[in-house]
Amino acid sequence: MINQCIKNEQHNETIPIADENLPDDLKSEFDVIFNEIYIFERVDFTPTAADYDNLNHRIQSIVNKNPILVRVFSKDIICWSLLTTICEKVHNNLSHPTIKYLIEKNPIALLWKWGDIDHPSTPIKCIAMNHCTLMPWIAENFQWVLDHPKCLNIFPHNELVHRYTDGRCHADVVQQFFEHYPQGLRQEDKLMQDGLPLFRILCGWDNCDVHLFKWMAEKYPTAVLHGDRYGHIPLHMACISLACMSLGLNPPEEKEHLKEICMFLIANHSRGVRMKSRHDRCLPIHYLVKRCNCPFVQEVIVQLLREYPESINISSKNKLRPAPKSSSFVQQVGLVLDTEKKLQSEIQSLTNMSEALLDAASCSKSDLWMSLPTIIQSWSKSRCQACQERLDSNELDDEICGICKVHEGDDPQESDDEESDGLSSLSEGVDHRESEDNSD
């Protein structure tokens, strides 16, 4: 006798049924279609579009005849259902109509676990890994699945973002998913504490899409200053990735994209420039100091120093990340930026002084006091104009450009142990995490 369907009041949830509990004839039908899916994309057979259509037709025909089969799992194959099997074994996008059909027939099957206790998996996780283009459709039509407690323990979009950073999922798919499921931008694995999605899209070797990054940052600005378990925020990660790219043979456009992300973060979320990582007390600029020979790095360093001039003297706890003042490039640029800052400060001081004198004169009946502010204001206006003209000219910018060209192409001073800094620096804190966290 087939087990009765047990329904969840909220999501119309049904429990799965072991194939051994089916009548013989129904079990035979299940076994045939199950095995056909399992070996469909075998090594000695390359399916055509027509073959995928035929498979889809056969599955729909059998399931329409016996709807109970969408709830059945094979005890011989680690508790796989029809949905699990096609998600795991059939990777071509031509299988997507069949996957959608099976989901619509029994969406709760997306959450059915299989595998061992330590490394369980689910169809929703597999879809995020192997069929990522279906994730926006699931987010749009079955949001309750993503909100289910089983998904809130291990977020499926973690796999989606991972596939994006591996270069196996397009940026448009990621954006479409978060458009339908914006709360995902706020969700972080509490166990791993490996950062919010905005942080993690920067963690791959593949180029990060600038439009996607800016869109995610604008949709959930809090993520810009949210750190992972080591205290790295997106600006740290962007600088780490840019430094790493400067060592490799990445195309110039990829470096340009990362530079643009750094500039966006500095300009729109400047507080991050002053934030130190937890495990080695590094500012974002520390990760770039030894890459001053790269033009893209040079531009970012200049903006970091403009925003936080005092950082030039700040040391980290990592001997491989020296204080910025150790770089001759930073020293020379710092002097030019000091001049720029003094001119700006002088304009501000003279403007404030003139306004204060006018206020004071308005309270006096003395002719001397009445004429003095006018004289000083005239001189102040002339001086401010001279300072502003120097700032508006290309004099200081040309001086910085000259410094950049002198240092461009210089071999960075580093040992063999530093060759793999950049992205690998994220793992440097793992061994010392407890001791360094306690010392803080």
Side-chain angles (χ1 to χ4, degrees):
M1 192 74 178
I2 300 177
N3 293 338
Q4 290 296 312
C5 179
I6 301 177
K7 297 188 176 182
N8 179 280
E9 293 180 0
Q10 184 176 3
H11 300 312
N12 195 32
E13 179 178 342
T14 61
I15 62 172
I17 301 169
D19 57 351
E20 62 184 14
N21 293 329
L22 295 174
D24 291 343
D25 56 340
L26 200 54
K27 184 179 185 306
S28 177
E29 281 200 66
F30 174 80
D31 289 343
V32 169
I33 194 63
F34 182 95
N35 291 327
E36 185 175 341
I37 297 171
Y38 194 89
I39 65 171
F40 187 70
E41 289 185 344
R42 58 190 182 274
V43 176
D44 61 342
F45 175 64
T46 303
T48 64
D51 293 322
Y52 285 99
D53 286 340
N54 290 335
L55 179 67
N56 180 47
H57 177 74
R58 279 182 47 72
I59 292 173
Q60 291 195 30
S61 176
I62 291 174
V63 170
N64 286 338
K65 179 182 175 183
N66 301 290
I68 197 74
L69 293 182
V70 296
R71 295 174 49 203
V72 177
F73 66 90
S74 171
K75 290 204 71 175
D76 294 333
I77 311 294
I78 53 176
C79 299
W80 280 12
S81 65
L82 294 180
L83 177 61
T84 303
T85 308
I86 196 167
C87 289
E88 289 285 345
K89 302 300 289 185
V90 185
H91 295 159
N92 195 292
N93 288 351
L94 292 172
S95 66
H96 288 183
T98 310
I99 294 174
K100 284 184 174 182
Y101 169 79
L102 292 173
I103 292 172
E104 288 170 338
K105 286 295 182 182
N106 189 29
I108 195 63
L110 285 166
L111 301 171
W112 288 351
K113 288 185 178 181
W114 61 270
D116 58 52
I117 297 176
D118 294 329
H119 302 91
S121 188
T122 59
I124 185 70
K125 181 179 179 181
C126 178
I127 288 173
M129 293 173 61
N130 300 329
H131 305 276
C132 64
T133 55
L134 289 176
M135 290 299 288
W137 175 79
I138 292 173
E140 181 181 11
N141 296 282
F142 302 98
Q143 183 176 317
W144 63 265
V145 171
L146 299 171
D147 289 334
H148 194 280
K150 290 181 180 179
C151 277
L152 296 179
N153 290 331
I154 303 177
F155 303 114
H157 57 69
N158 284 353
E159 292 296 338
L160 179 68
V161 171
H162 184 59
R163 287 299 173 270
Y164 168 72
T165 59
D166 280 352
R168 288 180 279 176
C169 182
H170 197 272
D172 289 346
V173 174
V174 178
Q175 180 170 334
Q176 289 165 18
F177 173 82
F178 286 117
E179 283 175 348
H180 293 302
Y181 193 66
Q183 55 266 49
L185 295 170
R186 301 173 171 83
Q187 294 173 338
E188 177 185 23
D189 189 318
K190 298 301 181 184
L191 180 63
M192 294 298 294
Q193 294 181 345
D194 54 355
L196 294 169
L198 182 70
F199 177 87
R200 286 186 285 108
I201 65 170
L202 291 167
C203 294
W205 287 99
D206 261 41
N207 186 32
C208 180
D209 185 87
V210 178
H211 172 77
L212 174 63
F213 183 88
K214 290 182 178 180
W215 179 85
M216 291 173 68
E218 289 164 359
K219 287 296 179 181
Y220 187 48
T222 302
V224 172
L225 300 179
H226 182 89
D228 69 351
R229 63 185 178 275
Y230 303 123
H232 289 110
I233 62 171
L235 182 56
H236 286 112
M237 194 64 234
C239 289
I240 288 169
S241 298
L242 183 59
C244 189
M245 275 193 179
S246 71
L247 285 174
L249 301 176
N250 301 69
E253 59 269 19
E254 291 190 7
K255 299 174 185 177
E256 179 68 34
H257 291 167
L258 264 177
K259 184 202 78 174
E260 187 176 342
I261 288 174
C262 290
M263 295 298 203
F264 167 80
L265 291 172
I266 296 168
N268 296 281
H269 304 275
S270 58
R271 187 177 151 205
V273 174
R274 292 167 165 77
M275 293 182 68
K276 295 181 178 180
S277 61
R278 186 176 301 115
H279 79 281
D280 57 10
R281 310 304 292 166
C282 280
L283 294 165
I285 195 172
H286 283 116
Y287 296 104
L288 300 175
V289 170
K290 292 197 171 184
R291 301 289 174 258
C292 295
N293 60 322
C294 175
F296 299 100
V297 172
Q298 292 172 343
E299 292 182 57
V300 175
I301 286 180
V302 170
Q303 290 306 112
L304 289 170
L305 288 172
R306 271 201 175 105
E307 188 60 42
Y308 190 19
E310 298 81 1
S311 66
I312 194 169
N313 295 313
I314 296 177
S315 300
S316 73
K317 293 174 63 176
N318 189 331
K319 65 180 181 180
L320 301 182
R321 307 278 182 263
K325 66 181 180 181
S326 65
S327 163
S328 60
F329 169 80
V330 173
Q331 290 176 15
Q332 293 171 40
V333 169
L335 292 174
V336 179
L337 295 179
D338 280 346
T339 302
E340 181 181 82
K341 186 179 180 181
K342 287 175 182 177
L343 290 170
Q344 293 169 342
S345 297
E346 186 174 355
I347 291 172
Q348 187 62 49
S349 297
L350 290 172
T351 301
N352 292 340
M353 182 183 69
S354 297
E355 292 174 353
L357 282 172
L358 285 174
D359 289 342
S362 66
C363 299
S364 173
K365 296 181 180 180
S366 169
D367 292 338
L368 178 62
W369 269 106
M370 291 297 289
S371 59
L372 184 60
T374 304
I375 296 170
I376 293 178
Q377 188 179 38
S378 177
W379 171 83
S380 173
K381 183 177 180 181
S382 175
R383 178 57 186 162
C384 286
Q385 185 175 354
C387 291
Q388 191 60 54
E389 285 177 355
R390 190 176 178 194
L391 287 172
D392 292 341
S393 71
N394 294 325
E395 177 187 341
L396 297 178
D397 287 340
D398 288 345
E399 196 170 340
I400 291 175
C401 286
I403 295 170
C404 290
K405 288 188 179 297
V406 168
H407 288 82
E408 186 178 328
D410 285 351
D411 291 330
Q413 301 298 313
E414 61 185 10
S415 67
D416 293 340
D417 292 338
E418 295 174 75
E419 276 296 319
S420 61
D421 76 346
L423 288 178
S424 64
S425 69
L426 285 175
S427 63
E428 289 175 8
V430 175
D431 295 335
H432 310 291
R433 178 185 172 193
E434 288 189 14
S435 61
E436 294 195 349
D437 282 356
N438 291 337
S439 67
D440 293 342

